[in-house]
């Protein structure tokens, strides 16, 4: 005869209390009610005041204004835009400009940041000091200060287009911006693109195949000659067969300005320069900290296994450093994207400048416009943090396995 | 013995002296080991030296050698008058210095700005030196007393009442809003389909409003009586002091141990009375200087100090809220923090400038500077919350459990055990946030406030001083100021970090 274990009482009330009120129980529930009441009161005040104020100013709430004609010009557009387009189109133009300056800035910032980090880690004393001075100066000056410095001091001091500085005769720098050759599609363009895409896909497949062969059967396959052939040889052959894919239109000085070529507006140049050098200082510190965080024993263990210095770095040190580097690096990319909103100070037509600036002053729809602008940035940062948490989860899983 | 020494494997004669090892210390050693020890390194050294040559030499030439030091207007800084390629145009900075520091603050009143700066330095420096005693009093003065004094010094103006009137005003505002909401609901009930429900809810709210009205009636009545007397501020002050001291005495433990609380309360009120008397707040105070006249470094410092002082309490509250077990408060804190951290500061400033006025009652206007301050406080508060949360997470659970075992309440556990340790842990992070706050204050120039950078930019457009080197000179000057502040703060944060990690060093 066995004594059955008595079941614990269900304690449903206790569980509900715990879910609703946390550890503090009924007190917690009371606090929540008070808090909700205060929040509700504030929300009520905001809504009623906003309605009264909007009525006084004769502004119709709602997003109907997005379909109205904007009636102003934007000096850099990626998609076609004229003054008779709608405010929704302005929003898209601004968003694309923000994304362009962010992406270009991120690329440059990463490159400069890694170079500065290598300088700081270099055994050469002079280079290490130079890297340190760079980081200290750049980090201790406001980014808006740097943007204005590049725009109002450096770019404004450049000569006018007639005396512009020529870079090898193909690109020209002047106070009207940077003029570069413009690629123009020719007859062989489509074939070239198709072959290039094919080459990339085939190279990726080859690499996956080689990795699998290495990991599952321990078989080393040398693939780089084939990859080179696929990526460069094949397109070259296509060019010989189908003709040049594109030609460059060189800028020419005509009168007081350049004709031909594409012009990059000085605001874009100043903003990209300032943002990438500023963020690079932070990236340099992150990369340096990441590489220093790998224990020096790892390097020694690698060389005791007979790996060369380069192979040890590539297979042992860098993967471990990346684990430390990637999360704060993404944070810096996000910061750069957010800082690109400072474009409004120098008139680069980004989202804040054309939408929260010009459109707002034309329509007066402050609530809708600012909510949309904030929403875009919020969405970008929430998506990034979601991706980062997936990354962190994968890292912790691979460490646990 | 001797046969061992004569054996074939023992050397018979002394070795020649070996050459001294290569020196690896001092300047020569540095040059030998870190600069010229391999061909690659020699190349890198040359590249570095060239880099320095092309940056340092022109900068020094610009700032010192080729600079113009005296002059009346732009003609002094033109190459054809000076006779050489002109570097920095320092007379321009001399002429614009008052504008860069005070903005358009009236010249006769600038002593007030200077006095505020001196006060802040006197209070801040002892707070930053860890060895000095009475940090609590010092922090209290800096974080609570100084902002109020600074406000009345910089802005001017006086007070019409004191604690009692303010409490009464605030409660009446709250009650009016509740009654207004009730009336609105009742009005809505006449047309809506859910009329009975709205009628019930509206009447309940009206009932609550009326109850509160009668509850606070003694306060409002007393306030109205006080306003009638000639010395309303002092009468109000006396009553507030008496009530607060009595409460402190009772809460402090009554006759047994309440003496201390009573003394400190009386001393505090005496100090407040002295300040009120000194600044003449009871009869108008100093002449008012509107904030649109403020500018330059003054605005930069006002915005950053206000941000620092207000963001810390907001951050602590949000961090505690985020760790709370009460669901609604936790969710609210998380949403609040993530929202402000997810948007750029400039959109927050746009929000504060264009949206905030719409949310306030129509007859209620907020000063442009205050709007920016609200935006910056909320924004920085969210960042500080994450710093504080890091500190709270670093405190072992045992600390809280030990406090609970001693029977301390949640408030006592938090304020006496957990928070002091947590905040001490994160001082370097807090200071780093203050550095970025200080740098970010430059953004207020975008919403039409003239901080240091805004004043600088405005001064560029003065035709009296426009010359090719004006912009570079101005940026050099402002850059040096920003650099000194930020670099100083970052060194201080390193110093504190070093001190905190003293036990980990070997």
């Amino acid at each position: 005869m066995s004594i059955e274990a008595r079941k614990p009482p269900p304690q449903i009330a206790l569980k509900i209390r715990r879910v609703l009120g946390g550890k503090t129980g009924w007190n917690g529930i009371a606090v929540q009610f008070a808090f909700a009441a205060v929040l509700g009161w504030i929300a009520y005040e905001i809504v009623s005041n906003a309605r009264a104020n909007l009525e006084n100013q004769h502004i119709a709430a709602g997003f109907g204004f997005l379909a109205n004609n904007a009636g102003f010009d934007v000096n850099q557009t990626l998609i076609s835009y004229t003054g008779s387009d709608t405010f929704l189109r302005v929003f898209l133009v601004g968003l694309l400009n923000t994304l362009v300056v962010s992406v270009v800035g991120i690329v440059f910032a990463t490159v400069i940041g890694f170079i500065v980090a290598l300088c700081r880690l270099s055994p050469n004393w002079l280079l290490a000091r130079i890297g340190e001075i760079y980081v200290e100066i750049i980090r201790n000056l406001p980014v808006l200060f740097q943007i204005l410095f590049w725009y109002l001091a450096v770019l404004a001091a450049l000569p006018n287009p007639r005396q512009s500085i020529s870079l090898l005769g193909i690109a020209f720098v002047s106070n009207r911006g940077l003029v570069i050759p413009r690629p123009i599609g020719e007859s062989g363009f489509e074939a070239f693109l198709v072959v290039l895409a094919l080459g990339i896909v085939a190279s990726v497949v080859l690499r996956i195949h080689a990795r699998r062969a290495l990991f599952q059967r321990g078989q080393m396959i040398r693939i780089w000659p084939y990859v080179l052939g696929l990526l460069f040889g094949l397109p070259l052959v296509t060019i010989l067969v189908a003709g040049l894919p594109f030609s460059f239109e060189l800028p020419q000085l005509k009168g007081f300005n350049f004709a031909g070529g594409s012009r990059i507006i000085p605001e874009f140049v100043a903003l990209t320069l300032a943002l990438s050098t500023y963020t690079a200082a932070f990236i340099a510190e992150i990369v340096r900290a990441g590489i220093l965080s790998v224990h020096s024993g790892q390097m020694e263990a690698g060389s005791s296994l007979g790996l060369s210095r380069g192979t040890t770095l590539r297979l042992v040190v860098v993967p471990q450093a990346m684990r430390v580097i990637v999360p704060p690096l993404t944070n810096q990319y996000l910061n750069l994207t957010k800082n690109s909103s400072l474009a409004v100070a120098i008139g680069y037509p980004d989202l804040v400048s054309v939408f929260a600036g010009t459109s707002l002053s034309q329509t007066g729809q402050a609530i809708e416009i600012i909510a949309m602008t904030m929403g875009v940035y919020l969405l970008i940062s929430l998506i990034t943090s979601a991706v980062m948490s997936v990354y962190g989860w994968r890292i912790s899983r691979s460490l646990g396995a | 013995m001797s046969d061992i020494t004569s054996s074939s494997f023992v050397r018979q004669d002394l070795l020649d002296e070996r050459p001294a090892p290569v020196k690896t210390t001092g300047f020569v050693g540095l040059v030998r080991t870190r600069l010229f020890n391999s061909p690659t390194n020699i190349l890198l050294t040359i590249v570095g030296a060239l880099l320095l040559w092309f940056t340092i030499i022109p900068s020094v030439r610009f700032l010192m050698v080729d600079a113009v030091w005296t002059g009346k207007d732009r003609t002094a800084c033109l190459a054809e008058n000076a006779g050489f390629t002109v570097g920095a145009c320092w007379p321009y900075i001399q002429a614009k210095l008052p504008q860069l520091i005070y903005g358009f603050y009236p010249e006769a009143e600038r002593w007030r700005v200077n006095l505020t700066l001196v006060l802040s330095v006197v209070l801040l420096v002892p707070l930053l030196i860890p060895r000095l005693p009475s940090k609590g009093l010092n922090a209290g003065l800096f974080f609570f007393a100084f902002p109020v004094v600074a406000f009345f010094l910089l802005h001017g103006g006086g007070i019409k009442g004191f604690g009692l009137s303010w409490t009464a005003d605030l409660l009446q505002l709250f009650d009016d809003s509740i009654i207004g909401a009730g009336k609105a609901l009742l009005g809505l009930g006449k047309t809506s389909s859910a009329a009975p429900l709205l009628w019930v809810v509206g009447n309940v709210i009206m009932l609550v409003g009326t109850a509160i009205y009668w509850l606070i009636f003694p306060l409002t009545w007393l306030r109205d009586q006080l306003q009638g007397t000639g010395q309303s501020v002092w009468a109000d002050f006396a009553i507030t002091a008496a009530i607060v001291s009595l409460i402190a005495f009772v809460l402090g433990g009554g006759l047994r141990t309440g003496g201390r609380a009573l003394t400190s309360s009386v001393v505090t009120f005496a100090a407040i009375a002295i300040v009120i008397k000194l600044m003449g707040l009871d009869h108008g105070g100093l002449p008012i200087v509107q904030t649109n006249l403020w500018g330059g470094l003054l605005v930069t410092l006002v915005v950053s100090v206000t941000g620092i002082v207000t963001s810390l309490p907001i951050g602590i509250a949000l961090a505690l809220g985020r760790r709370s077990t009460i669901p609604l408060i936790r969710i609210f804190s998380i949403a609040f923090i993530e929202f402000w951290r997810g948007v750029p500061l400039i959109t927050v400033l746009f929000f504060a400038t264009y949206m905030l006025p719409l949310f306030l009652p129509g007859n209620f206007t907020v000063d442009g500077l205050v709007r920016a301050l609200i935006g910056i406080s909320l924004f920085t508060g969210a960042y500080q919350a994450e710093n504080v949360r890091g500190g709270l997470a670093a405190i072992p659970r045992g600390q809280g459990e030990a406090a609970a075992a001693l029977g301390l309440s949640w408030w006592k556990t938090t304020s006496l055990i957990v928070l002091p340790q947590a905040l001490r842990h994160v001082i370097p992070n807090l200071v780093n946030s203050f550095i970025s706050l200080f740098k970010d204050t430059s953004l207020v120039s975008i919403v039409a406030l003239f901080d240091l950078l805004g004043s600088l930019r405005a001064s560029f457009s003065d035709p009296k001083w426009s010359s090719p080197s004006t912009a570079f000179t101005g940026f050099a000057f402002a850059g040096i100021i920003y650099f000194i502040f930020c670099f100083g703060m970052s060194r201080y944060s390193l110093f504190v970090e070093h001190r905190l990690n003293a036990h980990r060093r070997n």
Side-chain angles (χ1 to χ4, degrees):
Chain A
M1 182 188 151
S2 65
I3 302 166
E4 280 190 21
R6 207 159 17 128
K7 275 186 187 161
Q11 297 185 322
I12 294 171
L14 208 69
K15 273 177 190 157
I16 292 175
R17 208 175 79 174
R18 184 67 194 256
V19 167
L20 290 180
K23 265 184 198 160
T24 36
W26 297 122
N27 278 349
I29 295 176
V31 168
Q32 281 184 79
F33 268 107
F35 190 65
V38 171
L39 278 188
W41 178 66
I42 291 176
Y44 163 77
E45 278 290 301
I46 285 178
V47 170
S48 68
N49 286 333
R51 281 174 90 172
N53 285 327
L54 287 179
E55 221 162 83
N56 284 343
Q57 296 174 15
H58 305 291
I59 299 171
F63 290 93
F65 75 97
L66 284 175
N68 296 352
N69 280 353
F72 58 88
D73 271 327
V74 175
N75 62 354
Q76 180 193 308
T77 55
L78 291 181
I79 51 177
S80 71
Y81 169 84
T82 58
S84 57
D85 275 317
T86 60
F87 282 112
L88 188 63
R89 191 98 178 156
V90 173
F91 174 77
L92 287 180
V93 166
L95 181 59
L96 283 176
N97 281 340
T98 292
L99 292 180
V100 162
V101 81
S102 310
V103 170
V104 175
I106 283 172
V107 171
F108 280 117
T110 314
V111 173
I112 302 173
F114 271 81
I115 292 174
V116 175
L118 289 183
C119 279
R120 286 208 68 178
L121 290 168
S122 151
N124 188 301
W125 182 83
L126 197 61
L127 272 193
R129 289 295 86 73
I130 289 175
E132 204 177 320
I133 293 171
Y134 173 85
V135 169
E136 284 299 340
I137 288 183
I138 296 280
R139 281 207 309 184
N140 284 319
L141 292 176
V143 63
L144 183 62
F145 173 92
Q146 296 184 33
I147 293 174
L148 290 181
F149 172 74
W150 287 109
Y151 186 65
L152 293 178
V154 178
L155 290 190
L158 287 174
N160 60 22
R162 291 182 70 92
Q163 278 104 39
S164 60
I165 304 160
S166 156
L167 305 174
L168 304 172
I170 47 173
F172 297 90
V173 183
S174 68
N175 57 6
R176 300 270 190 90
L178 176 70
V179 189
I180 55 167
R182 180 167 54 178
I184 298 172
E186 299 257 343
S187 57
F189 189 57
E190 284 95 0
F192 177 78
L193 270 191
V194 170
V195 170
L196 195 65
L198 269 180
I200 291 172
V201 171
S203 316
V204 171
V205 171
L206 254 181
R207 182 177 156 79
I208 292 172
H209 172 70
R211 301 281 290 184
R212 191 170 291 164
L214 179 65
F215 287 156
Q216 291 181 351
R217 299 189 295 278
Q219 189 181 4
M220 287 271 262
I221 306 177
R222 179 182 292 168
I223 57 164
W224 64 265
Y226 306 106
V227 170
L228 269 188
L230 279 171
L231 285 185
F232 294 98
L234 218 56
L236 267 177
V237 171
T238 341
I239 289 173
L240 289 181
V241 172
L244 278 175
F246 44 75
S247 61
F248 287 101
E249 184 193 49
L250 288 182
Q252 300 284 332
L253 189 62
K254 291 241 176 82
F256 291 105
N257 213 338
F258 284 96
S262 356
R263 196 171 75 95
I264 298 174
I265 55 175
E267 289 83 12
F268 181 86
V269 178
L271 194 60
T272 317
L273 262 173
L275 287 180
S276 49
T277 46
Y278 181 76
T279 315
F282 290 86
I283 290 180
E285 285 301 277
I286 289 168
V287 171
R288 174 169 160 269
I291 290 179
L292 287 182
S293 77
V294 180
H295 201 270
S296 60
Q298 297 284 332
M299 196 77 199
E300 291 157 14
S303 55
S304 78
L305 284 174
L307 299 178
S308 73
R309 191 183 146 79
T311 322
T312 320
L313 271 179
R314 195 162 53 85
L315 296 179
V316 179
V317 177
V318 170
Q320 296 185 67
M322 281 321 260
R323 213 169 275 158
V324 183
I325 290 173
V326 167
L329 190 66
T330 341
N331 228 343
Q332 286 305 324
Y333 290 164
L334 210 57
N335 275 349
L336 191 145
T337 311
K338 286 197 263 174
N339 280 338
S340 73
S341 60
L342 294 180
V344 66
I346 57 170
Y348 172 77
D350 84 319
L351 180 64
V352 173
S353 173
V354 293
F355 197 60
T358 321
S359 302
L360 192 147
S361 61
Q362 290 212 351
T363 60
Q365 306 271 2
I367 296 179
E368 295 84 355
I369 285 182
I370 291 175
M372 274 173 83
T373 314
M374 281 182 151
V376 167
Y377 286 104
L378 200 59
L379 200 66
I380 294 176
S381 64
L382 286 184
I383 290 174
T384 315
S385 63
V387 171
M388 280 330 291
S389 48
V390 170
Y391 175 81
W393 173 75
R394 278 192 53 177
I395 288 277
S396 62
R397 201 185 55 163
S398 75
L399 280 181
Chain B
M1 293 296 267
S2 62
D3 55 340
I4 291 174
T5 48
S6 64
S7 71
S8 60
F9 55 86
V10 175
R11 199 189 286 275
Q12 296 299 314
D13 41 2
L14 282 172
L15 274 176
D16 289 336
E17 276 182 0
R18 272 203 253 161
V22 177
K23 198 177 172 199
T24 54
T25 55
F27 180 70
V28 180
L30 180 88
V31 168
R32 219 177 251 155
T33 53
R34 305 279 310 269
L35 291 176
F36 296 108
N37 58 338
S38 71
T40 346
N41 243 354
I42 292 173
L43 193 72
L44 289 178
T45 306
I46 292 170
V47 169
L50 282 178
L51 260 178
L52 282 183
W53 182 266
F54 283 111
T55 49
I56 301 258
I57 301 286
S59 315
V60 172
R61 280 187 72 96
F62 178 83
L63 292 177
M64 306 279 204
V65 182
D66 288 345
V68 174
W69 296 91
T70 51
K72 288 253 172 289
D73 57 4
R74 66 188 286 264
T75 48
C77 299
L78 293 180
E80 50 262 37
N81 295 334
F84 52 87
T85 26
V86 173
C89 181
W90 293 121
Y92 151 71
I93 295 294
Q94 280 161 23
K96 294 287 177 190
L97 196 61
Q99 196 191 332
L100 290 180
I101 292 181
Y102 304 104
F104 297 103
Y105 210 88
E107 216 167 331
E109 307 288 336
R110 281 184 190 154
W111 62 271
R112 283 154 61 175
V113 179
N114 297 339
L115 182 61
T116 317
L117 282 180
V118 170
L119 263 181
S120 72
V121 170
V122 166
L123 286 176
L124 190 60
V125 168
L127 195 61
L128 295 183
I129 301 175
R131 211 176 295 160
L132 293 182
S134 61
K135 282 277 175 287
L137 177 68
N138 200 338
L141 282 176
F142 184 73
F143 282 102
F144 298 104
F146 172 67
V148 178
V149 172
F151 171 78
F152 284 112
L153 257 181
L154 291 174
H155 182 265
I159 48 175
K160 291 216 175 61
F162 203 70
L164 189 111
S165 306
W166 295 337
T167 322
D169 285 346
L170 199 70
L171 286 174
Q172 200 170 25
L173 189 78
F174 180 68
D175 191 41
D176 286 350
S177 164
I178 290 181
I179 292 180
K183 277 183 185 152
L185 273 182
L186 284 182
L188 213 66
K190 281 174 191 144
T191 54
S192 165
S193 55
L197 185 71
L198 285 178
W199 186 83
V200 169
V201 175
N203 268 327
V204 167
I205 291 179
M206 286 293 281
L207 203 67
V208 171
T210 322
I212 293 179
Y213 175 78
W214 285 111
L215 210 65
I216 63 174
F217 182 74
L219 264 181
T220 45
W221 177 81
L222 199 58
R223 178 195 59 185
D224 294 340
Q225 294 301 311
L226 284 178
Q227 296 294 351
T229 63
Q231 289 286 330
S232 64
V233 173
W234 289 113
D236 194 341
F237 181 81
I239 295 176
T240 314
I243 293 176
V244 172
S245 300
L246 190 69
I247 293 175
F249 180 66
V250 172
L251 286 185
L255 281 175
R256 206 154 37 85
T257 52
R260 235 188 104 172
L262 186 67
T263 326
S264 58
S265 164
V266 168
V267 168
T268 311
F269 276 103
I272 295 175
I274 291 173
V275 169
I276 292 181
K277 195 71 207 165
L278 266 183
M279 292 172 65
L281 294 181
D282 50 334
H283 45 266
L286 295 162
I288 290 180
V289 180
Q290 293 298 338
T291 54
N292 54 9
L293 296 177
W294 302 15
L297 192 61
L298 169 66
V299 165
T300 299
L301 290 179
V302 164
V303 174
S304 39
V305 170
T306 319
I308 289 171
V309 170
T310 52
S311 68
L312 203 55
I314 296 178
I316 292 174
L318 285 173
L320 290 176
R322 194 167 181 167
R323 282 170 64 86
S324 157
T325 56
I326 301 173
L328 188 64
I329 289 183
R330 194 179 59 236
I331 292 167
F332 175 79
S333 302
I334 292 176
F336 195 89
I337 292 173
E338 293 305 326
F339 175 76
W340 293 110
R341 275 163 48 94
V343 296
L345 178 57
I346 189 66
T347 59
V348 174
L349 289 174
F350 271 80
F351 162 83
T353 320
Y354 298 113
M355 244 160 112
L356 211 57
L358 289 177
F359 290 164
L360 295 170
N363 52 0
F364 201 85
T365 53
V366 187
D367 186 90
L369 183 65
V370 177
R371 284 185 223 159
L373 287 178
I374 293 173
I376 285 187
S377 302
L378 294 177
F379 182 79
T380 317
Y383 279 86
Q384 295 296 31
E386 288 301 274
N387 286 335
V388 175
R389 190 164 73 105
L392 290 175
I395 304 301
R397 284 179 59 126
Q399 296 286 327
E401 287 167 355
L406 286 175
L408 298 186
S409 69
W410 183 84
W411 289 104
K412 281 189 173 161
T413 310
T414 306
S415 63
L416 297 176
I417 310 290
V418 177
L419 261 186
Q421 300 184 58
L423 287 183
R424 201 163 295 154
H425 259 290
V426 291
I427 290 176
N429 302 12
L430 295 179
V431 177
N432 284 343
S433 286
F434 293 152
I435 295 176
S436 37
L437 169 66
F438 185 80
K439 290 192 290 176
D440 284 343
T441 56
S442 58
L443 267 64
V444 298
S445 65
I446 296 177
V447 287
L449 293 172
F450 288 94
D451 72 321
L452 178 58
L453 201 57
S455 303
L456 182 75
R457 202 175 173 181
S459 75
F460 288 159
S461 53
D462 184 357
K464 194 182 164 199
W465 285 104
S466 86
S467 75
S469 62
T470 304
F472 282 101
T473 314
F475 278 116
F477 175 73
I480 291 169
I481 291 186
Y482 276 118
F483 186 81
I484 289 172
F485 274 97
C486 297
F487 191 71
M489 281 195 270
S490 75
R491 288 298 113 166
Y492 179 73
S493 120
L494 278 184
F495 158 74
V496 174
E497 202 174 337
H498 203 63
R499 223 181 106 83
L500 287 175
N501 288 338
H503 61 283
R504 289 205 194 117
R505 262 178 291 145
N506 35 18

